[in-house]
Amino acid sequence: MGFLDYKVRPRIAVIGNGHTYDRTALMAMFESFQGMECFLIEHPVAERVLNPQAMCDVDAVVLYDMPGGNPWTGPGYEVAPSRIFQEGFRGLLKSGMPIVALHHAIAAWTSWPEYAEALGGILLHFPGEVRGQAVMDGGTRADISMTITADNASHPLFEGLPDRFTLIDEAYLMEVFEDSITPVARSDVDCSDRNLFSLKLAMTGERWSNRGWQRPTGSSVVAWTKRSGNSAVAYIQPGHFPETQANGNYRRLVQNAINWSISESRRS
C-alpha cells in the first residue's frame, strides 16, 4: 500500500534532530494520537529515507527537524542538502506525500529556497536573501504568552477546538509567503524588532538582544496550509516547549493538521 491509501491506522513518520529537543515529550504527544502509528526518524538517517521509495508505507510526514548546518558556529554555517535528499523530497511532493511542519522546521535547509517555498516561509539566523530580496535575520522570543485565534473556526484544523486558546511558547519573526499560503490562525504577539530578539545577535554571543537590529514587523499568521506539488502541507509555528506539546489544544491542532493533510493529499 502506498501513502495515498488511507489506512484505518495511518503510519506517521516524525522527523527530528538538527535542533535540540525533548524526544520523550515530543513522542508522548504523538503517542497520544489514538488511531495513528507514529514513529521517529532522526538525521542524518532521515536525509536518506525521505523519498517515495522508503516512505511507500507511510501516510504522512511530520517535520520537527532543523537540518542544514549549526547556526551557533556563525555566518556561513549553512550546509546544502545532498542531491539524494533534494531528489527524494521533490519526489515526495510530486507523489503527494502529506506533510505537516512544526516550529523550527521553518528554519531548516535555509540555503535551499525550494524547501522554503514548499513550507511557505523561512526563518533566517543571519541576514540573507529571500525570493531575490535582501532580508535581515529573523527573531525569536521564548516563554511568551500567545493567544492563537482561528481565521475561520470551521476550518478542519480547528475541529474540536475553541476558536481561540493561549499557549506559553516561543514566537518567531520570520518571512511568511502570504501570497502562497492559506492562513488558518493568527497570534496576538507583537512580532516587531522591538519586542522580539535578533537571531544573529543570539548566534554571536548576545542572547535576548535587539541592539541595532531593525527590520519590518513580521506576519501574525502562525498556522497555515498550502499546496506544494501534489502534497497538502500544513505549518504550525508554536511547539518549542514540552509544556506546549502536552497541551490538549496544541495536540488537537497537530492531530487535526495531520488528518487534514492526508485527506487533502488524497484529492490530488
Side-chain angles (χ1 to χ4, degrees):
M1 298 180 80
F3 50 72
L4 294 183
D5 300 316
Y6 186 69
K7 305 181 184 69
V8 174
R9 183 175 170 84
R11 303 185 74 233
I12 313 301
V14 181
I15 311 301
N17 224 342
H19 187 291
T20 56
Y21 71 105
D22 187 325
R23 293 167 179 82
T24 301
L26 180 72
M27 293 313 295
M29 175 177 71
F30 287 103
E31 288 163 7
S32 76
F33 297 167
Q34 294 186 5
M36 292 184 180
E37 179 187 347
C38 303
F39 58 96
L40 179 65
I41 305 173
E42 293 192 316
H43 289 278
V45 173
E47 189 172 347
R48 292 190 170 273
V49 299
L50 281 171
N51 60 70
Q53 294 73 34
M55 296 284 107
C56 66
D57 198 33
V58 169
D59 294 281
V61 168
V62 178
L63 302 172
Y64 193 73
D65 58 338
M66 200 184 79
N70 178 9
W72 291 102
T73 62
Y77 74 91
E78 294 92 350
V79 175
S82 67
R83 178 185 56 80
I84 290 174
F85 176 77
Q86 291 184 43
E87 292 177 356
F89 190 74
R90 290 188 188 113
L92 290 178
L93 298 180
K94 181 178 180 180
S95 299
M97 172 63 81
I99 295 175
V100 175
L102 303 177
H103 195 52
H104 51 249
I106 204 76
W109 299 123
T110 54
S111 64
W112 190 32
E114 195 173 333
Y115 197 76
E117 293 293 340
L119 267 57
I122 188 170
L123 174 66
L124 294 181
H125 289 87
F126 294 92
E129 184 177 291
V130 176
R131 289 183 159 185
Q133 300 294 320
V135 299
M136 290 297 291
D137 51 305
T140 68
R141 184 167 179 171
D143 293 306
I144 191 168
S145 175
M146 53 175 66
T147 297
I148 311 298
T149 302
D151 264 27
N152 176 4
S154 65
H155 193 283
L157 263 65
F158 269 76
E159 181 180 350
L161 284 171
D163 60 2
R164 66 176 57 194
F165 58 90
T166 300
L167 300 170
I168 305 296
D169 204 70
E170 181 182 32
Y172 286 162
L173 197 174
M174 60 186 178
E175 315 309 314
V176 178
F177 304 154
E178 292 201 32
D179 61 338
S180 62
I181 65 169
T182 299
V184 173
R186 298 178 185 270
S187 164
D188 65 342
V189 173
D190 172 18
C191 287
S192 72
D193 56 15
R194 298 303 87 196
N195 190 45
L196 273 65
F197 304 118
S198 162
L199 273 169
K200 175 186 175 182
L201 291 175
M203 297 299 106
T204 54
E206 195 171 340
R207 298 291 297 273
W208 319 129
S209 174
N210 52 19
R211 179 183 55 82
W213 181 55
Q214 293 184 320
R215 57 154 295 150
T217 296
S219 172
S220 63
V221 181
V222 292
W224 65 73
T225 61
K226 72 183 306 289
R227 177 72 61 170
S228 295
N230 292 314
S231 294
V233 178
Y235 174 73
I236 299 170
Q237 188 271 304
H240 183 79
F241 294 111
E243 292 80 6
T244 298
Q245 295 157 12
N247 180 280
N249 288 328
Y250 183 77
R251 286 184 171 189
R252 183 63 182 262
L253 181 62
V254 173
Q255 187 172 15
N256 284 347
I258 295 171
N259 286 328
W260 172 86
S261 69
I262 293 173
S263 176
E264 285 297 310
S265 290
R266 292 181 70 239
R267 298 175 187 270
S268 299

